[in-house]
Amino acid sequence: MKKLFIDHHPDRVRTALTEGGRLLELYIDPASSWVGRVIVGRVKTILPGQFAFVDIGGCKNAFMNLSEGHGLKAGQPVLVQVYKDAAKSKGMYVGTEISLKGRLIVLHEGFEVGVSRKITGEKENKRLRKLVRKLLPQGYGAIVRTNAEGQDEAALAAEIQYLHETHLQIKHRAEYALPPAVLYPEATAQSSPLLTDLVSGKLSEIHISGFPEEFAAVKEAVFKLLPGLESRVFHYEPDAPSMFSHYGINRQISAALEKIVKLPCGGFITIEETEACVVIDVNTGSNVGKTDYRATVLETNLEAAEVIAAQIRLRNLSGIIIIDFIDMPAEEDKTTLLAALAAEVKKDGIRTEIIGMIGLGMVQLTRRKTRPPLSQLMETPCPHCGGTGKTRV
């Protein structure tokens, strides 16, 4: 069974998803992140035909496209949601289209109903689309998430009602709030939006470290998202060792930053992250095989496919990914390898597409970018070599 670990620190929140003790996914969110927050701001200045700048309480004014803020005037209060955090010289990017994410549904104002591309069955797609349209309040649209597959009407109705009530509460509070004011989520529940991505009935336990109020906020969020799971939410109180050290998560995080990953058969893979793409190379290493060379290569490649899919997910690699498998002349073996790789990437919650073999045993795939890779969050370029790994003599 899967377990979720949420580790609160003053400067960041780390969330780890494990299965059988093995680290599957790691999220590192700065405590200062504002993405997803709904705020009543005040329009400061407007650049005609371009942007409106809004005071939302940060050190820099946020900006929004005028296509989303048509008719705004300087000094006017405006309800916005943060889409992107501030980056370098730019302030936060905000918009007036408010969406609230649940475990099954993303609720927004409008009329469109979309279904996750990962729900590929035509019959299920139509069932969910029809059911959600029936349940939605007037004036609302939704995106049906992958977790909704197979869910009954009661589960979908309960979440839509919860999200609708939350949206109405935000609107009501916005009428009386003095800008700038954060309306959602509550300050003590900043880690709870992530639960909508990770909480499911397959979780056996949730462990939370931090202050009691942080624990209470997450437990309340779990109760709203998945009633019944709150009895499996535990507070990790000791300061030493840390929760991530106690459960062996820190050790696995360190391994996920290494360039070389060993395979059970004795082979290994190397992972290189570049500006243009990610390149992964597969080697037989010490795997000399027990029968013939063809069987040895296929065994190494199949093990590599499983490990590579897991590493892509854990390291959050995205964009173009090139995997240089050991060349296999037999078409039958290539078909077996591609099928195995496809089965492994399906376990990933982020859309990944296998383009196919591009020659000499190399496979190209693409993975949608949702957040920075693990290496970017946990490493900085060496001040002496500039990140090349080499120094000039």
Side-chain angles (χ1 to χ4, degrees):
M1 294 291 283
K2 295 179 180 179
K3 296 182 181 181
L4 193 66
F5 298 86
I6 303 175
D7 188 30
H8 289 91
H9 284 269
D11 60 337
R12 70 188 189 281
V13 178
R14 298 187 301 171
T15 304
L17 181 66
T18 70
E19 184 172 25
R22 182 169 65 93
L23 182 60
L24 299 179
E25 296 183 37
L26 178 69
Y27 297 75
I28 303 176
D29 297 296
S32 59
S33 176
W34 285 46
V35 173
R37 294 192 192 187
V38 180
I39 304 165
V40 173
R42 189 178 296 279
V43 179
K44 300 298 289 185
T45 55
I46 294 177
L47 297 181
Q50 299 182 57
F51 303 104
F53 291 90
V54 184
D55 177 13
I56 60 172
C59 57
K60 295 179 181 177
N61 289 333
F63 70 99
M64 62 186 292
N65 287 322
L66 280 183
S67 59
E68 287 201 34
H70 181 70
L72 288 178
K73 298 180 181 179
Q76 174 184 342
V78 59
L79 184 66
V80 297
Q81 187 168 37
V82 179
Y83 298 158
K84 290 183 181 179
D85 281 318
K88 297 182 179 179
S89 60
K90 291 184 177 180
M92 299 178 197
Y93 177 47
V94 301
T96 55
E97 296 181 0
I98 311 300
S99 64
L100 300 180
K101 190 194 306 185
R103 190 175 66 89
L104 310 176
I105 297 290
V106 179
L107 186 72
H108 59 80
E109 290 180 301
F111 301 96
E112 294 183 3
V113 175
V115 178
S116 167
R117 292 182 182 179
K118 289 207 155 195
I119 302 177
T120 55
E122 185 177 352
K123 184 176 180 181
E124 177 67 357
N125 189 303
K126 288 182 177 179
R127 181 188 76 88
L128 289 170
R129 197 181 296 269
K130 181 179 180 181
L131 185 55
V132 169
R133 281 202 178 104
K134 168 188 169 185
L135 296 172
L136 283 172
Q138 183 67 29
Y140 284 85
I143 299 172
V144 183
R145 307 190 70 197
T146 308
N147 283 334
E149 187 170 12
Q151 296 287 337
D152 60 18
E153 181 174 348
L156 292 166
E159 182 159 291
I160 289 174
Q161 181 181 356
Y162 163 63
L163 294 173
H164 181 223
E165 290 176 353
T166 302
H167 191 265
L168 292 178
Q169 290 171 5
I170 292 171
K171 289 280 192 178
H172 178 73
R173 292 176 61 197
E175 295 178 4
Y176 302 96
L178 181 65
V182 177
L183 305 183
Y184 174 86
E186 300 293 343
T188 57
Q190 289 303 313
S191 63
S192 63
L194 184 59
L195 294 175
T196 60
D197 292 326
L198 298 178
V199 167
S200 72
K202 296 178 181 178
L203 278 179
S204 60
E205 296 174 1
I206 298 178
H207 296 262
I208 304 161
S209 72
F211 294 112
E213 57 267 26
E214 291 169 330
F215 169 73
V218 176
K219 189 168 184 177
E220 181 182 358
V222 171
F223 175 76
K224 292 176 179 178
L225 291 167
L226 200 67
L229 188 62
E230 71 275 8
S231 62
R232 288 174 273 164
V233 180
F234 305 98
H235 190 202
Y236 186 87
E237 296 182 356
D239 292 326
S242 71
M243 181 173 68
F244 272 31
S245 294
H246 178 76
Y247 288 100
I249 297 173
N250 280 337
R251 172 179 52 80
Q252 296 184 65
I253 293 173
S254 296
L257 296 171
E258 296 292 333
K259 179 179 178 179
I260 296 176
V261 181
K262 294 181 179 179
L263 302 176
C265 67
F268 64 91
I269 64 173
T270 59
I271 302 174
E272 292 275 4
E273 298 179 50
T274 72
E275 289 291 332
C277 63
V278 177
V279 179
I280 304 174
D281 186 43
V282 182
N283 297 274
T284 54
S286 62
N287 184 18
V288 295
K290 297 179 181 179
T291 54
D292 55 34
Y293 179 72
R294 175 181 170 181
T296 300
V297 170
L298 181 59
E299 177 192 33
T300 305
N301 280 340
L302 289 175
E303 283 194 3
E306 180 180 357
V307 171
I308 287 169
Q311 289 294 317
I312 288 173
R313 181 180 178 187
L314 175 56
R315 299 179 187 224
N316 197 36
L317 305 176
S318 60
I320 298 173
I321 302 173
I322 305 294
I323 307 173
D324 188 6
F325 286 105
I326 305 167
D327 192 25
M328 299 180 298
E331 291 297 324
E332 179 185 351
D333 292 347
K334 293 178 182 178
T335 302
T336 300
L337 176 60
L338 287 176
L341 182 61
E344 292 298 327
V345 298
K346 278 186 178 179
K347 300 175 183 177
D348 193 344
I350 296 174
R351 183 160 57 89
T352 304
E353 181 181 359
I354 299 176
I355 306 301
M357 288 273 185
I358 57 175
L360 299 176
M362 289 189 288
V363 174
Q364 180 181 339
L365 55 85
T366 59
R367 185 171 184 265
R368 186 167 62 90
K369 184 174 183 179
T370 57
R371 61 186 193 279
L374 184 63
S375 58
Q376 186 176 323
L377 294 172
M378 299 199 65
E379 296 178 326
T380 57
C382 169
H384 300 289
C385 71
T388 65
K390 301 176 181 179
T391 56
R392 295 183 180 180
V393 296

